[in-house]
Amino acid sequence: MDIALWTIQGLAAIGFVYSGWLKAFRYEQAKASWGWVKDVSKAFVVFIGIVELIGAIGLILPQVTSIAPILTPIAATGLAAVVLLGALFHVSRKEYREIGVNIVFFSLAALITICRF
């Protein structure tokens, strides 16, 4: 079970690093990739990206180092909240095709939260 959970944490972290990196440091590429980015402020998009990057680090680092491992499920909970709010944002904009990714990453983050707490 632990190997499966580490695999899930790794996949989730990779996904959040990719998404967060685009939002925080590759704004123009994010704007070209995701339509919603054009409709919110750049500062907000960068903020979301930084939160995702910090959360991705929190999924792995505390558990690997055994330094404050309680931070891993807390990070997963925060990322689940970010993804859930993102899904609600997409619903409000009638961007139903975008919600599938949110559901996958919400499920991963929720599973990490449940298993690590």
Side-chain angles (χ1 to χ4, degrees):
M1 177 66 176
D2 198 45
I3 293 171
L5 188 54
W6 272 113
T7 303
I8 291 167
Q9 282 177 242
L11 291 173
I14 289 168
F16 283 113
V17 165
Y18 173 75
S19 175
W21 187 263
L22 280 181
K23 291 171 188 156
F25 300 110
R26 307 283 299 176
Y27 177 76
E28 292 303 320
Q29 188 177 350
K31 196 160 68 167
S33 299
W34 300 311
W36 65 268
V37 174
K38 298 174 192 134
D39 298 332
V40 297
S41 71
K42 180 179 179 180
F44 187 60
V45 174
V46 171
F47 171 74
I48 294 169
I50 290 170
V51 167
E52 288 178 350
L53 288 170
I54 292 169
I57 291 167
L59 288 179
I60 303 296
L61 196 59
Q63 202 75 35
V64 165
T65 62
S66 295
I67 299 172
I70 191 65
L71 294 177
T72 294
I74 292 171
T77 302
L79 288 170
V82 168
V83 174
L84 181 61
L85 291 170
L88 294 173
F89 176 73
H90 289 306
V91 168
S92 73
R93 293 171 48 90
K94 297 180 180 28
E95 298 173 335
Y96 302 114
R97 289 181 28 210
E98 306 292 330
I99 298 171
V101 173
N102 292 99
I103 291 170
V104 169
F105 280 96
F106 176 81
S107 300
L108 294 175
L111 183 63
I112 294 165
T113 298
I114 292 165
C115 292
R116 290 296 183 196
F117 266 133

